[in-house]
Amino acid sequence: GRPTRLSGNDLANLLQNMGSDNIEEIEIISNPSAKYEAEGDAGIININLKKNVATGFNGSAVASFTQGEYFRNNQSLNLNYGGEKLKASLILSRVDNELYDNFRETRTQNGFSLELASDELRNFDGYTITTGLEYTFNEKHSLSFSGNAILNSNDNDLGSTTAISLLETGGLEEILESQTLLDRESGNYNFNLNYRWKLSKSSKLSADLSFGDFNSVGSTFQPNTFFAADGTTVVDVSNNAFDSDTYIDLWSGKVDYEKEWDGWILSVGSKYASIVTDNRFDFFEVIDNEEVSDPTRSN
C-alpha cells in the first residue's frame, strides 16, 4: 500500500534483489480507483511482502554467482526480530553485473553507405537497504516505520567503428572512430511513517507521512575522430561531453478511512503531496583536453 516511484536501473535492482520467498502475493490492479495517483491509469502492480510472524531472532543469507562472458553475482542478508509488541526487519542486498553487447548495422543515408560495428561493456553495481519497524500498542492501535535506500553505480564503455562509403562508386571515403564513456551514480531514498486505528471489526482509520529523495548524477564523454580511407590520416576531430543531473524531493501526507459491510467496501481519504524536480543538462566541447561550455546546447 506504499507507492515506490522507481524506473530503469533502480527498478531492476530492486526486483533482482527481491527473493521470491519474501513475497506473499503479487496483485495486478488493472482498473485503479480514485485512491491511487492518476499516473497509475495503465494499471498498478502491488507486491505484498511477507510479514515476519516468527518470534525471536531469525535470518537468512543468500548468494548467487554466474559466469558467462563476464562475471555476475548478487548477495542478500535478511534479519528479523519478532516480539509480542515490537517487530523489526532489515534486508541488505547487493548486485554486481558486467554485461557485454555487440552491434552490427549497415544503412544508407544521403548517398552514403554506413557500416557500423560497436562493442559495449556495461558494469552495474547496486545496493539495496530495506528496514521496517512496527510497534503494536494494543489490538486497536499500531505504529510502523519503513524505509528503503537504493544506491546504483553505472559505468558503460561503448566503442564503435563506422566505415563511410559512397553509394555511387562503392569507394571508402572516411572511417569514424567513436566512443561513449558513461559514468552515472544514483540514490533513491523512501521513508514512511504509518499509524493504524482499528475502529471496529468492520472499519479502520490509517494515516501516513512519507518522504522521498532521488538524485542522479552522470557524466558522458564522446570522442569522435574521422580518418581518411587509409585509416591513419586524421580528417576531423569532434569531442563532446555532457553532464546530466536530476534531483527530486517529494513528501506527502494522507488519511484514509475504510468501512466494510455485506461484501461492500467504502473508502474515503484525503492526501496532500509536494514534488520538486530539478533537471540540469550541461554540454561541453572538448578542445585540447579542456571542456568548453556550450550554453546554446545546455539547459
Side-chain angles (χ1 to χ4, degrees):
R2 296 170 178 82
T4 303
R5 290 167 175 81
L6 299 172
S7 62
N9 291 328
D10 288 338
L11 179 59
N13 185 19
L14 179 68
L15 296 178
Q16 288 177 19
N17 286 316
M18 187 178 293
S20 58
D21 55 339
N22 291 328
I23 298 177
E24 181 73 28
E25 64 178 356
I26 298 178
E27 179 186 9
I28 308 298
I29 306 174
S30 58
N31 187 21
S33 66
K35 69 183 293 186
Y36 298 100
E37 301 289 347
E39 62 189 4
D41 61 349
I44 291 175
I45 299 176
N46 187 26
I47 302 176
N48 294 317
L49 302 181
K50 289 181 179 178
K51 259 191 174 183
N52 177 41
V53 295
T55 58
F57 285 100
N58 63 84
S60 62
V62 179
S64 67
F65 305 90
T66 304
Q67 180 64 56
E69 184 74 20
Y70 289 89
F71 185 66
R72 290 181 290 172
N73 66 96
N74 64 283
Q75 304 86 33
S76 65
L77 176 66
N78 190 339
L79 301 174
N80 297 284
Y81 170 76
E84 184 177 349
K85 289 183 174 294
L86 180 66
K87 291 181 173 61
S89 65
L90 176 65
I91 301 175
L92 306 174
S93 58
R94 173 183 179 269
V95 58
D96 184 9
N97 288 346
E98 282 193 326
L99 305 174
Y100 172 75
D101 190 20
N102 63 73
F103 186 75
R104 305 292 182 265
E105 180 186 42
T106 301
R107 71 168 71 176
T108 57
Q109 181 176 326
N110 297 332
F112 290 94
S113 173
L114 309 176
E115 294 185 9
L116 170 68
S118 67
D119 296 273
E120 182 179 19
L121 179 61
R122 303 191 300 273
N123 180 271
F124 173 71
D125 194 11
Y127 297 85
T128 302
I129 304 171
T130 304
T131 183
L133 192 65
E134 181 179 6
Y135 186 81
T136 302
F137 298 95
N138 50 51
E139 62 179 11
K140 289 189 174 183
H141 301 275
S142 66
L143 184 67
S144 64
F145 169 81
S146 63
N148 66 65
I150 301 174
L151 308 174
N152 289 333
S153 176
N154 294 81
D155 186 8
N156 296 355
D157 187 348
L158 169 65
S160 61
T161 301
T162 305
I164 306 172
S165 305
L166 278 172
L167 273 178
E168 188 175 351
T169 62
L172 181 64
E173 290 289 307
E174 291 181 346
I175 301 174
L176 170 61
E177 297 283 351
S178 60
Q179 281 184 294
T180 299
L181 307 175
L182 168 66
D183 184 12
R184 177 172 295 279
E185 294 184 353
S186 64
N188 195 324
Y189 308 89
N190 290 277
F191 305 97
N192 179 268
L193 185 64
N194 171 261
Y195 170 72
R196 291 182 182 274
W197 181 10
K198 189 175 181 181
L199 301 171
S200 65
K201 291 184 178 180
S202 60
S203 62
K204 60 183 178 181
L205 181 73
S206 66
D208 286 89
L209 183 63
S210 302
F211 171 77
D213 177 80
F214 175 79
N215 59 78
S216 176
V217 179
S219 60
T220 303
F221 178 46
Q222 292 181 323
N224 301 275
T225 304
F226 290 88
F227 294 92
D230 59 15
T232 58
T233 305
V234 176
V235 177
D236 190 22
V237 175
S238 177
N239 297 333
N240 302 315
F242 56 87
D243 297 335
S244 55
D245 303 337
T246 297
Y247 304 92
I248 303 175
D249 293 317
L250 58 99
W251 72 271
S252 65
K254 70 172 183 173
V255 177
D256 293 299
Y257 171 78
E258 191 173 284
K259 173 72 175 178
E260 182 178 357
W261 75 97
D262 295 333
W264 292 81
I265 298 178
L266 171 67
S267 297
V268 180
S270 178
K271 177 180 178 180
Y272 178 82
S274 171
I275 302 175
V276 179
T277 303
D278 181 15
N279 296 305
R280 305 172 186 176
F281 183 84
D282 297 319
F283 192 90
F284 307 91
E285 290 186 9
V286 182
I287 303 174
D288 295 331
N289 295 324
E290 292 289 335
E291 293 186 350
V292 180
S293 177
D294 185 351
T296 63
R297 303 173 72 179
S298 300
N299 184 3

